[in-house]
Amino acid sequence: MSHTPEDHTQDEPPAVRFTAATKAYGQVRAVDGIDLVLRPGERVALLGRNGAGKSTALGLLLGLDDPDTGSVHLFGGAPATAVQAGRVGAMLQDGRPIPRVTVRELVTFVSKTYPSPMPVDEALDLAGIREFGPRRADRLSGGQIQRVRFAIALVGNPELIVLDEPTAALDVEARRALWESTRRYAARGNTVLFSTHYLTEADENADRIVVIDRGRIVADGSSERLKRRAGGNLVSFDLAGRPTEGLGQLPGVSEAEVRGDRARLRTDDSDATVIALAELGAIRGLEVTRATLEDAFLQLTDPNGADSRDTGPDAATIDATALVKENV
Ligand SMILES: Nc1ncnc2c1ncn2[C@@H]1O[C@H](COP(=O)(O)OP(=O)(O)OP(=O)(O)O)[C@@H](O)[C@H]1O
Ligand SMILES: [Mg+2]
């Protein structure tokens, strides 16, 4: 059962709601107080370094584990209820072994466990594996198996799909096909939540990016906003003998650097910076380079995060929440 975008109102329970959820494994606080609301139709990327807590959070969301404290709701109810009702499809990071059946048999079998599945052919098409239908599922390549798992995630016709590093083993074409399928799926009003380490995938395929670091959300917003606030843009130009004082005070500029005859200004508002520069007189060789999502990501997350997390409450934490947290 899928909803069209017009179906949902603010009164409808969100697809996903984490409320102060925590989950610890011994001393490791894998999920350390997550608040998160996802609305129907959103495509959301979950980013974080290895061990940041992404898979643990997705496990809580799917009801595979219960939070120690706080709560997780799907469509206003318990995760297990939504999963049993076929409202959620998942592609997890640790794939289970696929038995000795054909791809079509396997997907058909899974579809029968759901109350209102999509036609098996449609799921095979969405995953780009129609031609593998008669092949044995345990004799496929890693990337082909990954696509079978994607078909399995979709076949129940869920309203929410959860994909933990879905493109990990996929070739370029299969990746593109997978993202195109998720785009079409979300366009029907469904919610897509995926984790990835490929930041360009998040940039291109998510309307919203949630960055998790050491079990906490450190940024939540559009890719544009993350880049602008955390990374800034770089405006560079030829000085052509012009004096350099005052450049650091131009609108938007947080940092000014002069190398040889070229000035580089880091700015969080390149439009304002360029207009102010233009008012100062002719500028030559102007170049505006955008901060990448990778710049933003590296600033937001702690390189020692996963390993230093079990040092207790005194461990240094990045508190970028106030800086970049933005509800969309
Ligand atoms: N079953 C478990 N038992 C003990 N510790 C665990 C368990 N599952 C996860 N952890 C720990 O919790 C932390 C978060 O792990 P998680 O798998 O959620 O990270 P992740 O963000 O998905 O990382 P990756 O990008 O490597 O997949 C890590 O420190 C991990 O070692
Ligand atoms: Mg993981």
Side-chain angles (χ1 to χ4, degrees):
M1 175 178 47
S2 62
H3 288 211
T4 59
E6 299 79 48
D7 279 338
H8 42 78
T9 64
Q10 289 298 321
D11 300 336
E12 192 178 341
V16 174
R17 183 191 289 279
F18 281 76
T19 309
T22 69
K23 178 76 195 172
Y25 295 108
Q27 293 295 301
V28 179
R29 285 177 276 151
V31 164
D32 195 14
I34 286 190
D35 289 292
L36 181 67
V37 172
L38 307 187
R39 298 267 161 211
E42 282 192 301
R43 284 185 306 155
V44 181
L46 192 57
L47 302 184
R49 295 174 187 255
N50 289 135
K54 303 179 297 297
S55 296
T56 305
L58 297 180
L60 295 179
L61 188 158
L62 294 166
L64 300 174
D65 244 325
D66 290 325
D68 298 334
T69 61
S71 63
V72 179
H73 288 100
L74 298 186
F75 305 106
T81 310
V83 170
Q84 277 153 25
R87 302 181 78 177
V88 188
M91 186 170 164
L92 296 179
Q93 199 170 17
D94 37 342
R96 279 144 282 162
I98 290 179
R100 285 189 260 165
V101 293
T102 68
V103 168
R104 176 178 293 279
E105 284 165 347
L106 179 65
V107 177
T108 305
F109 172 79
V110 174
S111 80
K112 288 188 173 149
T113 66
Y114 290 107
S116 48
M118 67 171 70
V120 168
D121 281 338
E122 188 183 342
L124 296 181
D125 282 342
L126 278 169
I129 52 169
R130 176 89 87 125
E131 77 268 25
F132 301 144
R135 305 249 316 254
R136 259 178 63 171
D138 56 355
R139 297 215 177 127
L140 298 174
S141 75
Q144 290 164 346
I145 291 167
Q146 191 80 335
R147 285 148 80 178
V148 173
R149 293 169 57 218
F150 183 54
I152 289 172
L154 289 175
V155 75
N157 212 6
E159 292 157 71
L160 165 67
I161 48 176
V162 177
L163 311 170
D164 197 359
E165 298 190 28
T167 57
L170 298 185
D171 65 30
V172 177
E173 208 179 321
R175 259 169 216 224
R176 206 170 278 175
L178 181 136
W179 291 123
E180 179 51 33
S181 291
T182 59
R183 183 171 300 121
R184 293 212 306 267
Y185 207 69
R188 300 182 196 172
N190 297 309
T191 309
V192 178
L193 175 62
F194 66 92
S195 74
T196 183
H197 289 293
Y198 301 105
L199 300 188
T200 48
E201 291 192 336
D203 212 352
E204 290 166 7
N205 302 294
D207 325 307
R208 176 177 168 194
I209 293 176
V210 173
V211 183
I212 176 168
D213 193 46
R214 300 193 290 181
R216 295 182 183 193
I217 292 175
V218 295
D220 180 350
S222 68
S223 167
E224 284 308 304
R225 189 56 76 103
L226 260 58
K227 289 180 208 169
R228 209 163 45 235
R229 295 230 192 137
N233 285 355
L234 205 63
V235 173
S236 51
F237 56 95
D238 294 332
L239 281 165
R242 168 196 315 277
T244 57
E245 58 268 16
L247 291 179
Q249 280 74 53
L250 289 174
V253 174
S254 57
E255 219 178 286
E257 188 189 88
V258 175
R259 275 192 220 158
D261 193 40
R262 204 149 169 85
R264 289 163 208 268
L265 311 177
R266 187 166 281 282
T267 169
D268 56 19
D269 187 348
S270 53
D271 293 344
T273 306
V274 169
I275 289 167
L277 272 174
E279 281 165 1
L280 290 178
I283 27 174
R284 294 220 184 102
L286 179 75
E287 205 174 36
V288 181
T289 8
R290 302 185 51 83
T292 62
L293 188 58
E294 193 166 300
D295 293 331
F297 178 81
L298 292 173
Q299 273 191 29
L300 287 163
T301 59
D302 179 355
N304 304 313
D307 303 327
S308 62
R309 197 136 45 108
D310 52 359
T311 49
D314 294 325
T317 55
I318 294 184
D319 193 6
T321 315
L323 182 68
V324 289
K325 190 159 180 180
E326 168 213 7
N327 289 317
V328 183

